[in-house]
Amino acid sequence: MSNNVDINNTLLSDPQNIKERWLRPVNRMGTITILLCILVTFLPSIYLNIRYDAFIGWDSVFPALLLVVVVFGVNWFVEPISFYPVLGNAGSYMGWLAGSVAQQRAPAAIVAREAMEVEQGSQEAEVVSVVAVAGSIVSNLIVLTVTCFVGTAIINVLPEAILSGIAAYVLPAMFGAMLAMFGAKEPLLTIPVFAVMIGLHYLSKFITLPIPTLMSTLLVLVSLAFSILYARALYKKGRINQVK
Amino acid sequence: MTAELGNIINSGAMWACAIFLVLLVLAQAVLYIRLAYKEAKTIGYDTANLRKSFRLGMITGFGPALTGVVAMVSMMTLIGSPITWMRLSIIGAVPTEMGVASVTAQSLGITLGGESVDIKVISLIYLMMAIAGTGWLLVTVILTPRMGELRERIGKKDSRWLIVFTAATTIGLFANLAAQQLTTGGFGAVAAAISGFGVMFFLHNIVGKKSKGIKNYALTISMVVGIVLGILLG
């Protein structure tokens, strides 16, 4: 390292130098670890398919794939782009791999930066954020692992009646709650969409299509299309609360 | 779900499949900590501050992580413990993962949690969870190095509609899933959905305005009330 502190400091804060010294290894490490993770996420499905011959067939994969892409495709892009300013490069790789960015990763980075009183956008802020995000990931893994093993033990001793009650009612309760959480901000949008979907789901019981599963697939698509078009109309009239 | 299927999806082999991902997430965090320490030494930043930051990050992340416990145990009963452990160590929280699972079941014309869930359905659900997650991960890998210039190109006007568009797809998704549960699940499901909606609305929009802390537990409380009322009235 140079003995001349002034020259050294200029060199250290030079954007090109930061790019070479910090961003390049950060990007390389993020890319490699995430690509490895992508491969590993397919293991459970591959295992079931090979060991138990559980592959359902392509004619069932494609409708499911279509729905997943249509329902979640926008979020794949919007979320990483919108949280980037809070997380930075290393934080993005860690944050999106570990998830719960809004609830856990971003708050961890912000709290640590405030507490350490580092200057926004500096390398000091960057390293503080990275370590804080890593810390929040470690505590998430601890909670998950403990819950998983304690939870498995609890499930094993719960009476059958309660277990089947949870299986039957957890999804309506959760989806009702999620609708209230996201929908309450936009009642003008949520109420018509929900009313129409209840009507369509009810009517769909009386209609038989040549391919039975086509109806439920269509319902998902109709719900999204109707919600987006209706939102567009409200947006043009300036009736969407979130962007007023 | 049959007891036999329950044994398969909670078998040792499934735990073995799951642990790789959990370890990889941990490894990535450790690798980035090492990189941050190296960078701190280069720029002459006191690494004692990094130790404090790590502890702060742990503490900040701990509370929100705890709030998902009830949802996590419910998810374990529906699709198995190992896959729940694995899926929740990455990207999505429980509502996202259950959204993927429910939409997949819906594409087959069945309801998750029902009798018609067999090993082929579970295998398809696991596959779709992997694919949905891959979307976020691939976008992160591809866009993160280019994010600076990309954000400049997205104008302010477009980003406003983008916010509305995202909100609309989320509302559309949960409106459809809640409507499906309401119309197929019988009286108990109706009670569960309405109480889930009502409790969340009350906690999030009325109580939540005064005390922010309650918002973190709103989903847990809504689910517990919904399940209990569903069992009692169903």
Side-chain angles (χ1 to χ4, degrees):
Chain A
M1 209 175 271
S2 166
N3 289 328
N4 188 325
V5 177
D6 283 341
I7 291 177
N8 203 6
N9 276 346
T10 337
L11 192 67
L12 284 175
S13 53
D14 172 47
Q16 194 55 39
N17 192 302
I18 291 178
K19 208 171 169 184
E20 298 280 326
R21 185 185 75 225
W22 170 247
L23 286 181
R24 188 172 289 175
V26 160
N27 289 346
R28 198 190 315 127
M29 194 178 283
T31 308
I32 293 170
T33 46
I34 289 185
L35 290 180
L36 275 176
C37 285
I38 290 178
L39 291 180
V40 168
T41 54
F42 286 90
L43 278 181
S45 153
I46 292 171
Y47 169 75
L48 288 183
N49 291 354
I50 292 174
R51 174 83 158 73
Y52 298 97
D53 195 18
F55 185 61
I56 197 163
W58 291 107
D59 51 339
S60 295
V61 171
F62 285 123
L65 188 61
L66 172 76
L67 289 188
V68 165
V69 172
V70 170
V71 173
F72 298 98
V74 182
N75 290 313
W76 293 344
F77 290 90
V78 171
E79 291 175 352
I81 294 173
S82 42
F83 277 98
Y84 178 76
V86 184
L87 294 172
N89 283 50
S92 288
Y93 289 117
M94 276 191 287
W96 292 110
L97 180 61
S100 299
V101 169
Q103 301 85 2
Q104 298 177 27
R105 280 356 119 207
I110 293 166
V111 166
R113 280 200 299 249
E114 301 245 313
M116 295 302 124
E117 295 174 336
V118 284
E119 191 188 331
Q120 280 289 342
S122 63
Q123 277 306 94
E124 285 82 1
E126 180 82 4
V127 290
V128 162
S129 309
V130 166
V131 176
V133 169
S136 77
I137 289 172
V138 170
S139 58
N140 188 42
L141 291 180
I142 293 172
V143 171
L144 283 182
T145 307
V146 171
T147 309
C148 203
F149 290 100
V150 175
T152 307
I154 292 174
I155 290 172
N156 285 338
V157 297
L158 277 182
E160 187 54 39
I162 298 207
L163 278 181
S164 60
I166 293 177
Y169 303 124
V170 63
L171 292 179
M174 180 190 289
F175 294 148
M178 296 307 286
L179 188 64
M181 192 163 138
F182 287 104
K185 282 182 223 155
E186 309 292 347
L188 288 180
L189 175 64
T190 307
I191 293 167
V193 173
F194 189 45
V196 165
M197 287 321 295
I198 289 182
L200 288 181
H201 270 283
Y202 188 71
L203 284 178
S204 73
K205 290 184 190 174
F206 304 103
I207 303 166
T208 321
L209 292 180
I211 310 166
T213 58
L214 186 63
M215 177 58 87
S216 46
T217 303
L218 277 176
L219 284 169
V220 183
L221 299 177
V222 167
S223 181
L224 289 184
F226 180 62
S227 182
I228 290 165
L229 291 175
Y230 203 84
R232 182 81 199 170
L234 289 171
Y235 174 69
K236 290 216 155 152
K237 284 187 186 164
R239 306 293 292 272
I240 295 284
N241 299 326
Q242 284 173 66
V243 292
K244 256 181 187 164
Chain B
M1 193 189 294
T2 61
E4 194 199 348
L5 179 57
N7 288 336
I8 290 174
I9 62 176
N10 292 307
S11 63
M14 290 305 298
W15 286 107
C17 287
I19 198 167
F20 284 104
L21 189 63
V22 179
L23 290 179
L24 265 174
V25 174
L26 189 64
Q28 193 206 44
V30 172
L31 286 170
Y32 272 123
I33 291 173
R34 282 182 51 188
L35 214 56
Y37 267 76
K38 201 176 141 214
E39 174 70 4
K41 280 184 191 130
T42 308
I43 59 173
Y45 187 63
D46 189 358
T47 51
N49 288 334
L50 292 190
R51 224 166 317 156
K52 276 185 220 147
S53 303
F54 180 80
R55 222 173 303 140
L56 269 175
M58 271 192 87
I59 296 163
T60 314
F62 198 71
L66 273 181
T67 62
V69 163
V70 170
M72 182 177 176
V73 174
S74 309
M75 184 168 157
M76 287 158 63
T77 65
L78 285 175
I79 59 165
S81 301
I83 192 86
T84 301
W85 185 48
M86 167 178 162
R87 292 305 317 175
L88 294 186
S89 72
I90 61 165
I91 323 156
V94 176
T96 312
E97 297 295 334
M98 294 313 345
V100 176
S102 295
V103 164
T104 304
Q106 200 180 347
S107 81
L108 298 170
I110 61 173
T111 314
L112 200 60
E115 294 291 311
S116 42
V117 175
D118 61 15
I119 192 161
K120 293 196 167 176
V121 175
I122 285 284
S123 161
L124 182 67
I125 287 173
Y126 288 5
L127 178 65
M128 287 305 141
M129 287 174 147
I131 289 174
T134 299
W136 271 282
L137 295 178
L138 270 186
V139 168
T140 303
V141 165
I142 294 167
L143 291 190
T144 302
R146 302 163 183 81
M147 205 64 96
E149 35 187 309
L150 186 78
R151 286 184 57 87
E152 274 171 29
R153 251 189 271 164
I154 301 174
K156 208 183 174 200
K157 197 176 164 225
D158 286 337
S159 68
R160 274 162 54 92
W161 165 241
L162 208 56
I163 294 169
V164 181
F165 187 87
T166 318
T169 55
T170 309
I171 290 170
L173 169 68
F174 287 113
N176 161 65
L177 290 174
Q180 187 206 18
Q181 293 290 339
L182 274 175
T183 51
T184 57
F187 190 67
V190 175
I194 291 175
S195 52
F197 186 95
V199 173
M200 173 60 91
F201 187 85
F202 179 69
L203 293 179
H204 203 78
N205 297 293
I206 296 166
V207 186
K209 285 212 169 112
K210 281 182 210 137
S211 66
K212 287 236 151 69
I214 197 83
K215 279 190 178 179
N216 296 333
Y217 292 91
L219 182 62
T220 302
I221 300 170
S222 318
M223 283 170 58
V224 170
V225 174
I227 292 169
V228 169
L229 284 180
I231 292 174
L232 291 178
L233 301 172

